[in-house]
Amino acid sequence: MNAPIKPLPRRPLSVLRSYLDNEAAGGLTLMGAAALALLVANSPLAPAYFGALHAHLGPLSVSHWINDGLMAVFFLFVGLEIKRELLDGQLSTWPRRALPGIAAAGGMAVPALIYAAFNWNDPATLRGWAIPSATDIAFALGVLSLLGPRVPASLKVFLAALAIIDDLGAVAIIAVFYAGDLSPLDLGLAAAALAALAALNRSGVARLAPYLLLGALLWLFVLRSGVHATIAGVALALTVPLRAAPGRPDDVAGSPLHRLEHRLHHWVAFGIVPVFGFANAGVSFAGVSADALLDRLTLGVALGLLVGKLVGVFGAAALAIRAGLADVPMGAGRLQLVGVSLLCGIGFTMSLFIGLLAFADDPALQDRVKIGILAGSGLAGLLGWAVLRVAPRDVPAPGAAARRL
């Protein structure tokens, strides 16, 4: 008699895979990287940490490779996301764009005004006016996801759409206001590379390799041109086709843009952004006094994020709803919209990046910017989580909610 066949042991679910597939994981990883950077920067390892960042690998320091190289890939991913949402996603129609677009405009303007009010008499620090205007989509969505079903899905869509429009505004600010001395030759070469990329798109080329090779050349020319190199990532993204491959008209999900975005997702969320956070969040608190915490630059950044985003996002959204220009996110009430507006004050990645550009030659000002960002983002995240935690889940119908706002 044959022995019974033993079933194969069931393969346990990979803890790593579960974590990578978790919606909040990217934000949690970034939080961990930032916390680790602060610990290392205030430990006996601080000299090694700062020394490694300033060490040179070829023509650039490690810090520059991260901020100009890896972050160009991050901006490529952001650009792909923006293009997809505008053409085929939550922002594909004007009614869908109305509420997050108006809220994003308020959420960029009010923080900038608060920062400017603190720094109006100092042209050196006024240059950082755009620092508190940004929202960190990974951090904010990470905190929102921790609340699970307590938050309506419509609010997650609203926050994601707002953050994407916010990113688009940040890209425009970086390109216009934080360019260095421009090189006409390299700008011309960059334009030629961009024209070649557009020609690939118009010719129906669906393979990613030609786009990435030309994109690398575009990055090099932009790096040398005086415009910040990360803009090359966004420019490349805009040329990657969002259409089905030839012979497969119904397979839009297999478009070059979708394929590239999918391949970059985990690398950006769990590699590039945490590395950037670890490299730039480290600030030594040795010798930091109460005067430094109450410095107008630090306060302008912190209050711009904490107060400016709340007033700007919630105020603009409420006005748009009352004016009949947009509807309340389905199933959401006033208190939940307040909580999400607070989460928009988490400006970590983009705010740090703009701060580095604004004060590229002044490490002391960079440290004050980092303190302001950590304080403002931390408080905004905690308060936003607390408000959404206590906000009632049973809310009025969307029409009634609009009238109450």
Side-chain angles (χ1 to χ4, degrees), residues 85-86 89-103 157-158 161 165 320-321 324-329:
E85 290 293 344
L86 287 173
Q90 292 298 327
L91 301 174
S92 58
T93 63
W94 284 110
R96 290 181 177 181
R97 296 169 190 163
L99 186 62
I102 293 169
V157 172
F158 168 72
I165 296 171
I321 291 166
L325 300 175
D327 294 328
V328 176

PDB file of all heavy atoms in Angstrom, residues 85-86 89-103 157-158 161 165 320-321 324-329:
ATOM      1  N   GLU A  85      -2.238  60.950 -13.549  1.00  0.00           N
ATOM      2  CA  GLU A  85      -3.446  61.450 -12.875  1.00  0.00           C
ATOM      3  C   GLU A  85      -4.160  62.513 -13.718  1.00  0.00           C
ATOM      4  O   GLU A  85      -5.389  62.565 -13.745  1.00  0.00           O
ATOM      5  CB  GLU A  85      -3.078  62.025 -11.507  1.00  0.00           C
ATOM      6  CG  GLU A  85      -2.648  60.976 -10.487  1.00  0.00           C
ATOM      7  CD  GLU A  85      -3.773  60.045 -10.079  1.00  0.00           C
ATOM      8  OE1 GLU A  85      -4.954  60.361 -10.332  1.00  0.00           O
ATOM      9  OE2 GLU A  85      -3.480  58.973  -9.521  1.00  0.00           O
ATOM     10  N   LEU A  86      -3.401  63.354 -14.410  1.00  0.00           N
ATOM     11  CA  LEU A  86      -4.012  64.402 -15.221  1.00  0.00           C
ATOM     12  C   LEU A  86      -4.703  63.848 -16.467  1.00  0.00           C
ATOM     13  O   LEU A  86      -5.742  64.363 -16.896  1.00  0.00           O
ATOM     14  CB  LEU A  86      -2.967  65.433 -15.640  1.00  0.00           C
ATOM     15  CG  LEU A  86      -2.472  66.380 -14.542  1.00  0.00           C
ATOM     16  CD1 LEU A  86      -1.322  67.231 -15.067  1.00  0.00           C
ATOM     17  CD2 LEU A  86      -3.606  67.291 -14.048  1.00  0.00           C
ATOM     18  N   GLY A  89      -6.559  59.664 -14.599  1.00  0.00           N
ATOM     19  CA  GLY A  89      -6.777  59.330 -13.198  1.00  0.00           C
ATOM     20  C   GLY A  89      -7.730  60.278 -12.507  1.00  0.00           C
ATOM     21  O   GLY A  89      -8.661  60.822 -13.107  1.00  0.00           O
ATOM     22  N   GLN A  90      -7.452  60.511 -11.218  1.00  0.00           N
ATOM     23  CA  GLN A  90      -8.352  61.304 -10.389  1.00  0.00           C
ATOM     24  C   GLN A  90      -8.413  62.776 -10.796  1.00  0.00           C
ATOM     25  O   GLN A  90      -9.313  63.493 -10.374  1.00  0.00           O
ATOM     26  CB  GLN A  90      -7.925  61.197  -8.917  1.00  0.00           C
ATOM     27  CG  GLN A  90      -8.127  59.824  -8.315  1.00  0.00           C
ATOM     28  CD  GLN A  90      -9.599  59.405  -8.315  1.00  0.00           C
ATOM     29  OE1 GLN A  90     -10.480  60.239  -8.178  1.00  0.00           O
ATOM     30  NE2 GLN A  90      -9.842  58.114  -8.480  1.00  0.00           N
ATOM     31  N   LEU A  91      -7.458  63.238 -11.603  1.00  0.00           N
ATOM     32  CA  LEU A  91      -7.442  64.644 -12.022  1.00  0.00           C
ATOM     33  C   LEU A  91      -7.711  64.790 -13.508  1.00  0.00           C
ATOM     34  O   LEU A  91      -7.338  65.783 -14.130  1.00  0.00           O
ATOM     35  CB  LEU A  91      -6.081  65.267 -11.682  1.00  0.00           C
ATOM     36  CG  LEU A  91      -5.686  65.234 -10.209  1.00  0.00           C
ATOM     37  CD1 LEU A  91      -4.258  65.746 -10.021  1.00  0.00           C
ATOM     38  CD2 LEU A  91      -6.651  66.053  -9.365  1.00  0.00           C
ATOM     39  N   SER A  92      -8.377  63.789 -14.095  1.00  0.00           N
ATOM     40  CA  SER A  92      -8.550  63.774 -15.549  1.00  0.00           C
ATOM     41  C   SER A  92      -9.658  64.690 -16.045  1.00  0.00           C
ATOM     42  O   SER A  92      -9.761  64.930 -17.246  1.00  0.00           O
ATOM     43  CB  SER A  92      -8.820  62.342 -16.024  1.00  0.00           C
ATOM     44  OG  SER A  92      -9.979  61.815 -15.385  1.00  0.00           O
ATOM     45  N   THR A  93     -10.512  65.195 -15.150  1.00  0.00           N
ATOM     46  CA  THR A  93     -11.564  66.121 -15.564  1.00  0.00           C
ATOM     47  C   THR A  93     -11.532  67.356 -14.666  1.00  0.00           C
ATOM     48  O   THR A  93     -11.062  67.291 -13.527  1.00  0.00           O
ATOM     49  CB  THR A  93     -12.962  65.469 -15.465  1.00  0.00           C
ATOM     50  OG1 THR A  93     -13.238  65.151 -14.095  1.00  0.00           O
ATOM     51  CG2 THR A  93     -13.032  64.195 -16.296  1.00  0.00           C
ATOM     52  N   TRP A  94     -12.075  68.467 -15.183  1.00  0.00           N
ATOM     53  CA  TRP A  94     -12.040  69.707 -14.408  1.00  0.00           C
ATOM     54  C   TRP A  94     -12.841  69.616 -13.113  1.00  0.00           C
ATOM     55  O   TRP A  94     -12.403  70.138 -12.085  1.00  0.00           O
ATOM     56  CB  TRP A  94     -12.522  70.870 -15.278  1.00  0.00           C
ATOM     57  CG  TRP A  94     -11.474  71.310 -16.252  1.00  0.00           C
ATOM     58  CD1 TRP A  94     -11.483  71.143 -17.600  1.00  0.00           C
ATOM     59  CD2 TRP A  94     -10.236  71.949 -15.942  1.00  0.00           C
ATOM     60  NE1 TRP A  94     -10.324  71.621 -18.154  1.00  0.00           N
ATOM     61  CE2 TRP A  94      -9.545  72.138 -17.168  1.00  0.00           C
ATOM     62  CE3 TRP A  94      -9.640  72.382 -14.752  1.00  0.00           C
ATOM     63  CZ2 TRP A  94      -8.296  72.741 -17.235  1.00  0.00           C
ATOM     64  CZ3 TRP A  94      -8.390  72.990 -14.823  1.00  0.00           C
ATOM     65  CH2 TRP A  94      -7.732  73.166 -16.042  1.00  0.00           C
ATOM     66  N   PRO A  95     -14.014  68.973 -13.086  1.00  0.00           N
ATOM     67  CA  PRO A  95     -14.712  68.847 -11.797  1.00  0.00           C
ATOM     68  C   PRO A  95     -13.880  68.112 -10.738  1.00  0.00           C
ATOM     69  O   PRO A  95     -13.944  68.456  -9.559  1.00  0.00           O
ATOM     70  CB  PRO A  95     -15.978  68.055 -12.162  1.00  0.00           C
ATOM     71  CG  PRO A  95     -16.218  68.383 -13.603  1.00  0.00           C
ATOM     72  CD  PRO A  95     -14.851  68.497 -14.209  1.00  0.00           C
ATOM     73  N   ARG A  96     -13.116  67.111 -11.167  1.00  0.00           N
ATOM     74  CA  ARG A  96     -12.276  66.379 -10.216  1.00  0.00           C
ATOM     75  C   ARG A  96     -11.089  67.215  -9.747  1.00  0.00           C
ATOM     76  O   ARG A  96     -10.573  67.014  -8.661  1.00  0.00           O
ATOM     77  CB  ARG A  96     -11.763  65.082 -10.851  1.00  0.00           C
ATOM     78  CG  ARG A  96     -12.825  64.017 -11.063  1.00  0.00           C
ATOM     79  CD  ARG A  96     -12.192  62.782 -11.662  1.00  0.00           C
ATOM     80  NE  ARG A  96     -13.155  61.696 -11.823  1.00  0.00           N
ATOM     81  CZ  ARG A  96     -12.841  60.497 -12.305  1.00  0.00           C
ATOM     82  NH1 ARG A  96     -11.591  60.248 -12.682  1.00  0.00           N
ATOM     83  NH2 ARG A  96     -13.756  59.570 -12.413  1.00  0.00           N
ATOM     84  N   ARG A  97     -10.645  68.112 -10.599  1.00  0.00           N
ATOM     85  CA  ARG A  97      -9.488  68.939 -10.242  1.00  0.00           C
ATOM     86  C   ARG A  97      -9.863  70.112  -9.358  1.00  0.00           C
ATOM     87  O   ARG A  97      -8.997  70.699  -8.698  1.00  0.00           O
ATOM     88  CB  ARG A  97      -8.825  69.489 -11.515  1.00  0.00           C
ATOM     89  CG  ARG A  97      -8.234  68.431 -12.430  1.00  0.00           C
ATOM     90  CD  ARG A  97      -7.844  69.036 -13.765  1.00  0.00           C
ATOM     91  NE  ARG A  97      -7.496  68.007 -14.739  1.00  0.00           N
ATOM     92  CZ  ARG A  97      -7.424  68.194 -16.048  1.00  0.00           C
ATOM     93  NH1 ARG A  97      -7.687  69.398 -16.545  1.00  0.00           N
ATOM     94  NH2 ARG A  97      -7.109  67.211 -16.861  1.00  0.00           N
ATOM     95  N   ALA A  98     -11.144  70.480  -9.331  1.00  0.00           N
ATOM     96  CA  ALA A  98     -11.550  71.737  -8.705  1.00  0.00           C
ATOM     97  C   ALA A  98     -11.168  71.809  -7.229  1.00  0.00           C
ATOM     98  O   ALA A  98     -10.419  72.711  -6.822  1.00  0.00           O
ATOM     99  CB  ALA A  98     -13.054  71.945  -8.886  1.00  0.00           C
ATOM    100  N   LEU A  99     -11.676  70.889  -6.404  1.00  0.00           N
ATOM    101  CA  LEU A  99     -11.448  71.002  -4.964  1.00  0.00           C
ATOM    102  C   LEU A  99      -9.975  70.837  -4.594  1.00  0.00           C
ATOM    103  O   LEU A  99      -9.425  71.706  -3.901  1.00  0.00           O
ATOM    104  CB  LEU A  99     -12.316  69.998  -4.204  1.00  0.00           C
ATOM    105  CG  LEU A  99     -12.243  70.142  -2.677  1.00  0.00           C
ATOM    106  CD1 LEU A  99     -12.751  71.516  -2.234  1.00  0.00           C
ATOM    107  CD2 LEU A  99     -13.060  69.039  -1.998  1.00  0.00           C
ATOM    108  N   PRO A 100      -9.292  69.758  -5.031  1.00  0.00           N
ATOM    109  CA  PRO A 100      -7.872  69.665  -4.674  1.00  0.00           C
ATOM    110  C   PRO A 100      -7.028  70.780  -5.268  1.00  0.00           C
ATOM    111  O   PRO A 100      -6.054  71.229  -4.654  1.00  0.00           O
ATOM    112  CB  PRO A 100      -7.446  68.292  -5.215  1.00  0.00           C
ATOM    113  CG  PRO A 100      -8.469  67.928  -6.217  1.00  0.00           C
ATOM    114  CD  PRO A 100      -9.740  68.566  -5.768  1.00  0.00           C
ATOM    115  N   GLY A 101      -7.413  71.268  -6.466  1.00  0.00           N
ATOM    116  CA  GLY A 101      -6.644  72.344  -7.086  1.00  0.00           C
ATOM    117  C   GLY A 101      -6.764  73.647  -6.315  1.00  0.00           C
ATOM    118  O   GLY A 101      -5.762  74.327  -6.049  1.00  0.00           O
ATOM    119  N   ILE A 102      -7.993  74.006  -5.932  1.00  0.00           N
ATOM    120  CA  ILE A 102      -8.209  75.235  -5.162  1.00  0.00           C
ATOM    121  C   ILE A 102      -7.562  75.113  -3.785  1.00  0.00           C
ATOM    122  O   ILE A 102      -6.914  76.045  -3.296  1.00  0.00           O
ATOM    123  CB  ILE A 102      -9.715  75.528  -5.050  1.00  0.00           C
ATOM    124  CG1 ILE A 102     -10.287  75.864  -6.433  1.00  0.00           C
ATOM    125  CG2 ILE A 102      -9.979  76.668  -4.068  1.00  0.00           C
ATOM    126  CD1 ILE A 102     -11.805  75.912  -6.490  1.00  0.00           C
ATOM    127  N   ALA A 103      -7.731  73.946  -3.143  1.00  0.00           N
ATOM    128  CA  ALA A 103      -7.136  73.733  -1.823  1.00  0.00           C
ATOM    129  C   ALA A 103      -5.612  73.774  -1.891  1.00  0.00           C
ATOM    130  O   ALA A 103      -4.950  74.335  -1.003  1.00  0.00           O
ATOM    131  CB  ALA A 103      -7.602  72.394  -1.247  1.00  0.00           C
ATOM    132  N   VAL A 157      -8.266  60.062  -1.489  1.00  0.00           N
ATOM    133  CA  VAL A 157      -8.154  60.505  -2.881  1.00  0.00           C
ATOM    134  C   VAL A 157      -7.918  62.014  -2.924  1.00  0.00           C
ATOM    135  O   VAL A 157      -7.069  62.508  -3.691  1.00  0.00           O
ATOM    136  CB  VAL A 157      -9.433  60.130  -3.661  1.00  0.00           C
ATOM    137  CG1 VAL A 157      -9.414  60.743  -5.055  1.00  0.00           C
ATOM    138  CG2 VAL A 157      -9.568  58.613  -3.756  1.00  0.00           C
ATOM    139  N   PHE A 158      -8.667  62.759  -2.101  1.00  0.00           N
ATOM    140  CA  PHE A 158      -8.504  64.217  -2.046  1.00  0.00           C
ATOM    141  C   PHE A 158      -7.078  64.599  -1.645  1.00  0.00           C
ATOM    142  O   PHE A 158      -6.448  65.456  -2.277  1.00  0.00           O
ATOM    143  CB  PHE A 158      -9.506  64.799  -1.050  1.00  0.00           C
ATOM    144  CG  PHE A 158      -9.257  66.241  -0.677  1.00  0.00           C
ATOM    145  CD1 PHE A 158      -9.492  67.260  -1.578  1.00  0.00           C
ATOM    146  CD2 PHE A 158      -8.769  66.567   0.587  1.00  0.00           C
ATOM    147  CE1 PHE A 158      -9.261  68.595  -1.236  1.00  0.00           C
ATOM    148  CE2 PHE A 158      -8.534  67.885   0.946  1.00  0.00           C
ATOM    149  CZ  PHE A 158      -8.781  68.900   0.022  1.00  0.00           C
ATOM    150  N   ALA A 161      -4.591  63.705  -4.483  1.00  0.00           N
ATOM    151  CA  ALA A 161      -4.704  64.639  -5.603  1.00  0.00           C
ATOM    152  C   ALA A 161      -4.128  66.005  -5.241  1.00  0.00           C
ATOM    153  O   ALA A 161      -3.406  66.624  -6.028  1.00  0.00           O
ATOM    154  CB  ALA A 161      -6.174  64.779  -6.010  1.00  0.00           C
ATOM    155  N   ILE A 165      -0.887  67.911  -7.076  1.00  0.00           N
ATOM    156  CA  ILE A 165      -0.917  69.290  -7.594  1.00  0.00           C
ATOM    157  C   ILE A 165       0.123  70.141  -6.868  1.00  0.00           C
ATOM    158  O   ILE A 165       0.800  70.987  -7.474  1.00  0.00           O
ATOM    159  CB  ILE A 165      -2.325  69.882  -7.434  1.00  0.00           C
ATOM    160  CG1 ILE A 165      -3.322  69.095  -8.293  1.00  0.00           C
ATOM    161  CG2 ILE A 165      -2.346  71.358  -7.824  1.00  0.00           C
ATOM    162  CD1 ILE A 165      -4.769  69.457  -8.050  1.00  0.00           C
ATOM    163  N   ALA A 320     -14.471  77.240  -1.619  1.00  0.00           N
ATOM    164  CA  ALA A 320     -14.864  76.628  -2.893  1.00  0.00           C
ATOM    165  C   ALA A 320     -16.166  75.862  -2.756  1.00  0.00           C
ATOM    166  O   ALA A 320     -17.034  75.905  -3.647  1.00  0.00           O
ATOM    167  CB  ALA A 320     -13.754  75.697  -3.376  1.00  0.00           C
ATOM    168  N   ILE A 321     -16.341  75.182  -1.632  1.00  0.00           N
ATOM    169  CA  ILE A 321     -17.578  74.412  -1.406  1.00  0.00           C
ATOM    170  C   ILE A 321     -18.766  75.351  -1.219  1.00  0.00           C
ATOM    171  O   ILE A 321     -19.836  75.146  -1.791  1.00  0.00           O
ATOM    172  CB  ILE A 321     -17.395  73.475  -0.193  1.00  0.00           C
ATOM    173  CG1 ILE A 321     -16.389  72.370  -0.535  1.00  0.00           C
ATOM    174  CG2 ILE A 321     -18.728  72.859   0.231  1.00  0.00           C
ATOM    175  CD1 ILE A 321     -15.873  71.606   0.663  1.00  0.00           C
ATOM    176  N   GLY A 324     -20.055  76.811  -4.345  1.00  0.00           N
ATOM    177  CA  GLY A 324     -20.613  75.858  -5.297  1.00  0.00           C
ATOM    178  C   GLY A 324     -19.654  75.445  -6.387  1.00  0.00           C
ATOM    179  O   GLY A 324     -20.061  74.848  -7.391  1.00  0.00           O
ATOM    180  N   LEU A 325     -18.350  75.731  -6.210  1.00  0.00           N
ATOM    181  CA  LEU A 325     -17.360  75.366  -7.219  1.00  0.00           C
ATOM    182  C   LEU A 325     -16.918  73.911  -7.094  1.00  0.00           C
ATOM    183  O   LEU A 325     -16.325  73.350  -8.020  1.00  0.00           O
ATOM    184  CB  LEU A 325     -16.134  76.277  -7.100  1.00  0.00           C
ATOM    185  CG  LEU A 325     -16.385  77.773  -7.297  1.00  0.00           C
ATOM    186  CD1 LEU A 325     -15.112  78.566  -7.024  1.00  0.00           C
ATOM    187  CD2 LEU A 325     -16.897  78.040  -8.709  1.00  0.00           C
ATOM    188  N   ALA A 326     -17.175  73.305  -5.939  1.00  0.00           N
ATOM    189  CA  ALA A 326     -16.744  71.928  -5.705  1.00  0.00           C
ATOM    190  C   ALA A 326     -17.641  71.313  -4.646  1.00  0.00           C
ATOM    191  O   ALA A 326     -18.356  72.019  -3.916  1.00  0.00           O
ATOM    192  CB  ALA A 326     -15.277  71.895  -5.257  1.00  0.00           C
ATOM    193  N   ASP A 327     -17.595  69.974  -4.556  1.00  0.00           N
ATOM    194  CA  ASP A 327     -18.376  69.247  -3.562  1.00  0.00           C
ATOM    195  C   ASP A 327     -17.472  68.769  -2.434  1.00  0.00           C
ATOM    196  O   ASP A 327     -16.273  68.552  -2.626  1.00  0.00           O
ATOM    197  CB  ASP A 327     -19.050  68.026  -4.196  1.00  0.00           C
ATOM    198  CG  ASP A 327     -20.089  68.434  -5.228  1.00  0.00           C
ATOM    199  OD1 ASP A 327     -20.709  69.497  -5.040  1.00  0.00           O
ATOM    200  OD2 ASP A 327     -20.271  67.689  -6.211  1.00  0.00           O
ATOM    201  N   VAL A 328     -18.084  68.564  -1.260  1.00  0.00           N
ATOM    202  CA  VAL A 328     -17.358  67.959  -0.145  1.00  0.00           C
ATOM    203  C   VAL A 328     -16.980  66.523  -0.522  1.00  0.00           C
ATOM    204  O   VAL A 328     -17.786  65.832  -1.150  1.00  0.00           O
ATOM    205  CB  VAL A 328     -18.246  67.935   1.118  1.00  0.00           C
ATOM    206  CG1 VAL A 328     -17.530  67.225   2.259  1.00  0.00           C
ATOM    207  CG2 VAL A 328     -18.597  69.340   1.533  1.00  0.00           C
ATOM    208  N   PRO A 329     -15.768  66.052  -0.202  1.00  0.00           N
ATOM    209  CA  PRO A 329     -15.449  64.642  -0.427  1.00  0.00           C
ATOM    210  C   PRO A 329     -16.514  63.747   0.202  1.00  0.00           C
ATOM    211  O   PRO A 329     -16.934  63.960   1.338  1.00  0.00           O
ATOM    212  CB  PRO A 329     -14.094  64.472   0.269  1.00  0.00           C
ATOM    213  CG  PRO A 329     -13.476  65.836   0.198  1.00  0.00           C
ATOM    214  CD  PRO A 329     -14.624  66.797   0.353  1.00  0.00           C
TER     215      PRO A 329
END
